[in-house]
Amino acid sequence: MADALPQRMKAAVYHAPHKLEVEQQPLPALGPRDVLVDVSHCGICGTDLHLVLEGMGRPRSIGGHEYSGRIVELGTEVSAWARGDRVVARPGKPPCGRCEFCRVGRTSLCATRDRLGAEAEYQGAFAEYVCVHEEQL
Ligand SMILES: [Zn+2]
Ligand SMILES: [Zn+2]
């Protein structure tokens, strides 16, 4: 039987240049094709440094997109993964498959891609748990 998940988690939240605070946050809500990962490790990428040190972060975002961990919860439509699977993930959400970049195979430039804390809503892995779409695993 799976251990019950906590209601809240610790996360390093960006507030302003050079200012991150470790705070209690609710666990991220899962969409039907998302999984919840119990983060074991998270690297600090150059992007994270730009977001924090140069103030490119969106206030209240949570950085961290190079991580590993174990799946602890599955969205209702996820079938190819199971609780306990050890995973790594590509950053952000899946490419749209329809924009001008996706249509020529340059999915890393997808017009809808997450900016990993700079613009779009992004909750990363500088936290105890992170939500990620199954296609990114
Ligand atoms: Zn990176
Ligand atoms: Zn696209």
Side-chain angles (χ1 to χ4, degrees):
M1 206 165 103
D3 293 334
L5 290 169
Q7 297 287 310
R8 297 171 78 75
M9 64 177 185
K10 283 188 283 191
V13 180
Y14 172 82
H15 287 279
H18 298 257
K19 188 163 184 232
L20 284 179
E21 289 188 357
V22 176
E23 299 175 0
Q24 291 289 327
Q25 295 270 314
L27 262 60
L30 297 188
R33 297 193 59 202
D34 294 334
V35 304
L36 188 67
V37 175
D38 182 349
V39 177
S40 64
H41 298 79
C42 186
I44 299 173
C45 178
T47 302
D48 296 309
L49 294 177
H50 289 302
L51 292 171
V52 174
L53 301 180
E54 295 170 21
M56 292 165 63
R58 185 177 52 79
R60 304 213 53 76
S61 63
I62 300 169
H65 56 270
E66 298 178 0
Y67 58 91
S68 60
R70 203 177 278 273
I71 294 177
V72 291
E73 191 66 270
L74 304 165
T76 53
E77 294 175 14
V78 175
S79 59
W81 300 90
R83 285 186 188 83
D85 285 349
R86 291 187 287 183
V87 295
V88 295
R90 287 188 297 244
K93 62 189 178 187
C96 75
R98 295 182 301 275
C99 73
E100 62 179 310
F101 297 106
C102 285
R103 286 199 308 264
V104 295
R106 302 182 72 189
T107 54
S108 66
L109 297 175
C110 175
T112 70
R113 74 192 186 285
D114 287 330
R115 301 290 181 150
L116 305 177
E119 293 174 5
E121 189 71 27
Y122 182 73
Q123 194 255 289
F126 291 158
E128 293 180 282
Y129 298 92
V130 65
C131 169
V132 62
H133 194 283
E134 63 174 337
E135 284 180 18
Q136 300 300 83
L137 295 171

